[in-house]
Amino acid sequence: MTAYSLDHVTMAFGGRRRKVTALESLTLHIGEHERWGIVGESGSGKTSLLKILAGLIRPTSGVVHFLGRDLDHANREAMASLRASVQMVFQDPRSSLNPRMRISEIISEPLRSPLLKGRVDVPTNPETRVSEVLDAVGLPPDAATRFPHEFSGGQRQRIALARALAPRPRILLADEPVSSLDVSVRAHVLNLLNSLVDSMGLTLIMVTHDLAVVRHTCDHVGVLQQGILVESGKVLEVMNHPKQEYTQELLNAVPRIKESG
Ligand SMILES: Nc1ncnc2c1ncn2[C@@H]1O[C@H](COP(=O)(O)OP(=O)(O)OP(=O)(O)O)[C@@H](O)[C@H]1O
Ligand SMILES: [Mg+2]
């Protein structure tokens, strides 16, 4: 099954005078269980694409299919299904976790979403689910009663991951999930993300400006340049035989993560 199918999607912001075309005629197919890295320079449209995939904004033109259904303006049912099956992890857990809420409340919040109503696999006991996902991200059970400021950056991103996984999403969207973290903990969080995506059979779409992260985590990659998808395909093919000079430049700009074993 195709998770997402985008056909000539264009996203323009602003009025006639100051129009910014964040994405231009983007066509892309993302299969279920694939792991996509979306790369490109600042302002190339990465976050805009993720917001469209999350249903947070609607494209100016073009067609988006989610799990085979057209997400057009009239289609509420498809939109509800999207909102119920997709979760997102943001760049900076300092701003994405409410400082006044205990970790248990933060993690169980998406479970209370009315959008999950009617879905059969939704965890019914929030407390049990909080313990399960805390365990899955490697945090102790007593983390549940504490507040975000009591945790390090890496731990907070684990909490954000736990919150995203709590309602058993099918698709995980991540916007630069490790770029706010100390270099020393990035690999740990990425490895955790990898193994959770594996064990839960998720589709992953991760925005990053770091091709080393893509190489480490993803099987597919899309390269955005000023709103245009200039390259897309399997990571190894794109990285070993980049068709575009721009991709080659991106590749030259980053050091390789050491391949181990
Ligand atoms: N809500 C908005 N209103 C107006 N312009 C916007 C809006 N959101 C994004 N843009 C513009 O669209 C373009 C793409 O922005 P986007 O945030 O998608 O880029 P990005 O690749 O995520 O960049 P970064 O790496 O800096 O996060 C930019 O020129 C940006 O200024
Ligand atoms: Mg962005």
Side-chain angles (χ1 to χ4, degrees):
M1 168 89 91
T2 311
Y4 287 102
S5 196
L6 281 72
D7 192 10
H8 293 91
V9 165
T10 292
M11 184 74 230
F13 292 106
R16 244 180 248 165
R17 279 175 157 233
R18 304 200 68 189
K19 197 169 116 176
V20 177
T21 306
L23 297 170
E24 198 171 334
S25 198
L26 187 148
T27 294
L28 176 66
H29 304 283
I30 295 179
E32 258 200 296
H33 310 299
E34 289 177 356
R35 302 166 178 215
W36 279 79
I38 305 293
V39 299
E41 290 170 341
S42 184
S44 58
K46 305 183 296 294
T47 298
S48 302
L49 173 59
L50 224 52
K51 284 182 176 169
I52 288 173
L53 299 180
L56 297 173
I57 56 174
R58 293 188 188 275
T60 315
S61 63
V63 181
V64 180
H65 278 91
F66 172 69
L67 297 173
R69 289 189 286 182
D70 190 345
L71 282 189
D72 71 21
H73 294 238
N75 198 337
R76 286 174 176 235
E77 191 206 340
M79 204 53 153
S81 141
L82 172 98
R83 291 272 169 78
S85 329
V86 178
Q87 288 289 321
M88 192 152 167
V89 174
F90 298 90
Q91 176 169 0
D92 188 354
R94 260 170 298 271
S95 51
S96 69
L97 304 180
N98 186 334
R100 292 190 186 84
M101 280 165 77
R102 290 185 196 277
I103 304 308
S104 58
E105 296 171 81
I106 289 174
I107 293 178
S108 59
E109 196 178 31
L111 292 175
R112 292 191 288 271
S113 165
L115 295 165
L116 299 186
K117 258 192 196 146
R119 235 185 63 189
V120 289
D121 59 337
V122 174
T124 46
N125 184 334
E127 251 171 70
T128 313
R129 188 59 183 156
V130 168
S131 325
E132 278 172 11
V133 289
L134 277 176
D135 184 57
V137 301
L139 288 170
D142 67 6
T145 56
R146 290 152 69 190
F147 290 93
H149 73 264
E150 299 176 55
F151 296 91
S152 69
Q155 287 172 324
R156 282 185 220 184
Q157 203 57 313
R158 286 171 193 262
I159 293 165
L161 199 51
R163 172 179 60 185
L165 297 174
R168 297 192 214 280
R170 288 168 77 169
I171 291 160
L172 187 66
L173 306 176
D175 196 349
E176 304 265 16
V178 298
S179 63
S180 76
L181 304 180
D182 203 271
V183 176
S184 65
V185 298
R186 281 184 194 175
H188 290 291
V189 174
L190 272 182
N191 289 339
L192 173 67
L193 181 69
N194 269 338
S195 68
L196 290 170
V197 165
D198 255 351
S199 65
M200 300 186 178
L202 300 175
T203 303
L204 175 71
I205 303 158
M206 179 171 64
V207 157
T208 173
H209 55 259
D210 190 344
L211 273 168
V213 167
V214 172
R215 190 186 278 278
H216 192 70
T217 306
C218 303
D219 47 36
H220 288 74
V221 62
V223 180
L224 280 171
Q225 182 183 21
Q226 292 174 17
I228 296 171
L229 188 71
V230 293
E231 192 138 32
S232 69
K234 295 202 170 129
V235 166
L236 288 177
E237 283 167 24
V238 170
M239 292 205 173
N240 292 336
H241 309 283
K243 291 194 192 79
Q244 300 283 335
E245 206 176 308
Y246 180 70
T247 311
Q248 188 61 59
E249 283 168 22
L250 283 176
L251 282 169
N252 293 343
V254 291
R256 290 179 169 217
I257 283 185
K258 231 180 181 177
E259 311 280 349
S260 57

